[in-house]
Amino acid sequence: MRNRIISLALLLGLVSPAFSDDLTLKSNAPARYTVGRGDTLWGIAGRYLNSPWQWPQLWRMNRGQVRNPHWIYPGDVLVLDYADGQPRLSLAMDVQREVKLSPQVRPEQLDRAISSIPADAIEPFLVRPLVVDAQQFATGPRLVAGPDEHLSISSGDRVYASGVGETGTWQAYRLGKELVDPDSKEVLGIEAVYGGDLIVDKLRPDIQSMTVGRVAGEVLVGDHLVRAPQEQFVSYVPHSPPGGLRGKIISTYKGIDGAAQYSTVAVNLGRRQGMEPGLVFGVFKKGGDIEIVGADGKKRQAQLPTEQAGKLFVYRVFDRVSYALVLGSRGAIYVGDGIASPESE
């Protein structure tokens, strides 16, 4: 095996970008690190940087590589060195491992490559439709009948649908709460409530028979049906948003009062505003009003400064709404908290 280090940028044949800011490494950043199962890009970045969203700079990535990153696998060895006075992280090619490095992605490798953020925290949100348009929702296929002997629909039951035109797996869901912009009061979408999976048994012109598979919550006659999407593999590189992109948290998953580490929240920014998976935002809490006594002995009102209370990693984007995972929370995150480019730590 050749004993040399090939940087990620050279491996993909792309030119490294200019740096906008100097990188500050942690004092205990490892010179070599072996990637293990369960590692994430965010977690590894945190071993080297206080600000993990600067990961693309450490890897010398350009914009194209951020959106279509190289896969990193358990067993890969990362090597830290310096180029032009700046730290650089590369893949060591003198270490043999099971999966051969390749700039091309093979489907069978996806379960081996590490994800950007903890996969188990976001898996339910990757394979289920979450935000829907009310008009489209009303005209799609529906579940029209269930078992005669009981009202509750369970796994293994035979049910009947109308409007299903393809075989395979479908998902049952119903309208949930509206996602409302806190400033304009405009409805940005409707959050769907997932019920379970159904598999088509037989297609008929008017009525289609299906078998209920996994039941996550509740499957009911009248539920709307959508084709189950293919599973997604999240390996977008964490990176900061454009400086002027700002928004607010508009919902917490299941209405939790105060989201914490690894909670999912919805924000009022989507594709229209330039959102994409991998963007990292700081969550900023407006300081409260207090009463202070001045040098003249008189009382007056003052406001505490706005502080960063955590970070969000965007992992699913809709037209006007996005879902993000709370990371690095220093306290509860609430609906109405602002989001903007994260502050360095």
Side-chain angles (χ1 to χ4, degrees):
M1 184 65 69
R2 292 171 297 174
N3 186 15
R4 64 190 179 111
I5 298 172
I6 303 178
S7 73
L8 184 63
L10 292 176
L11 180 65
L12 295 182
L14 298 170
V15 179
S16 62
F19 286 89
S20 57
D21 298 299
D22 288 340
L23 289 174
T24 302
L25 288 176
K26 285 187 171 181
S27 59
N28 59 347
R32 292 172 69 93
Y33 178 75
T34 302
V35 178
R37 296 192 180 278
D39 272 339
T40 63
L41 287 180
W42 183 272
I44 294 174
R47 292 178 178 270
Y48 289 89
L49 303 166
N50 289 321
S51 302
W53 59 91
Q54 291 181 313
W55 176 257
Q57 292 178 233
L58 187 61
W59 273 96
R60 301 296 181 96
M61 286 180 168
N62 62 27
R63 185 67 170 174
Q65 291 169 289
V66 166
R67 289 182 173 178
N68 298 285
H70 182 78
W71 306 108
I72 298 176
Y73 301 89
D76 282 342
V77 176
L78 309 182
V79 179
L80 181 66
D81 65 354
Y82 285 81
D84 301 325
Q86 290 289 336
R88 177 183 64 182
L89 199 61
S90 307
L91 294 173
M93 299 300 290
D94 58 346
V95 178
Q96 188 174 2
R97 56 181 178 76
E98 289 184 18
V99 182
K100 184 180 179 181
L101 278 173
S102 170
Q104 302 298 321
V105 179
R106 294 193 292 272
E108 64 268 24
Q109 293 178 342
L110 295 184
D111 61 336
R112 300 181 184 180
I114 67 171
S115 62
S116 296
I117 50 181
D120 56 352
I122 62 172
E123 182 275 333
F125 301 91
L126 298 180
V127 297
R128 302 170 192 169
L130 289 176
V131 178
V132 297
D133 176 85
Q135 293 181 345
Q136 293 177 342
F137 188 92
T139 57
R142 301 186 70 170
L143 190 62
V144 296
D148 293 334
E149 63 272 16
H150 53 81
L151 295 176
S152 176
I153 297 177
S154 304
S155 179
D157 283 346
R158 172 67 61 85
V159 294
Y160 302 92
S162 175
V164 172
E166 299 179 35
T167 58
T169 302
W170 290 69
Q171 295 177 329
Y173 67 110
R174 64 194 66 93
L175 285 177
K177 64 182 179 182
E178 294 181 338
L179 297 175
V180 180
D181 187 282
D183 298 323
S184 67
K185 307 304 179 185
E186 180 185 7
V187 177
L188 304 179
I190 301 176
E191 199 168 57
V193 178
Y194 169 77
D197 294 342
L198 302 95
I199 302 170
V200 175
D201 294 325
K202 191 170 183 179
L203 292 176
R204 299 182 180 89
D206 296 324
I207 301 296
Q208 300 83 48
S209 59
M210 310 179 79
T211 298
V212 178
R214 178 177 182 268
V215 175
E218 190 176 33
V219 177
L220 301 173
V221 172
D223 281 354
H224 297 258
L225 303 174
V226 296
R227 195 75 168 86
Q230 292 184 345
E231 292 189 12
Q232 303 176 49
F233 180 77
V234 178
S235 193
Y236 293 94
V237 174
H239 55 291
S240 57
L245 195 57
R246 298 173 178 270
K248 288 185 178 180
I249 294 174
I250 59 175
S251 176
T252 57
Y253 182 56
K254 292 185 177 180
I256 296 172
D257 185 21
Q261 182 86 340
Y262 298 149
S263 294
T264 280
V265 298
V267 301
N268 63 341
L269 299 172
R271 293 189 191 95
R272 293 187 184 182
Q273 292 77 31
M275 291 286 273
E276 62 184 20
L279 286 179
V280 178
F281 287 85
V283 180
F284 295 91
K285 305 182 77 67
K286 185 178 179 180
D289 295 325
I290 61 171
E291 186 177 73
I292 61 174
V293 179
D296 57 1
K298 294 182 179 180
K299 295 180 180 180
R300 60 185 179 88
Q301 295 294 314
Q303 187 178 53
L304 294 174
T306 297
E307 298 284 356
Q308 181 170 288
K311 290 175 286 293
L312 299 181
F313 185 102
V314 177
Y315 64 84
R316 193 167 185 192
V317 178
F318 297 89
D319 191 33
R320 297 190 291 175
V321 175
S322 298
Y323 282 91
L325 192 70
V326 176
L327 294 169
S329 172
R330 299 194 193 94
I333 306 297
Y334 294 98
V335 171
D337 285 347
I339 65 170
S341 295
E343 295 178 345
S344 299
E345 299 175 352

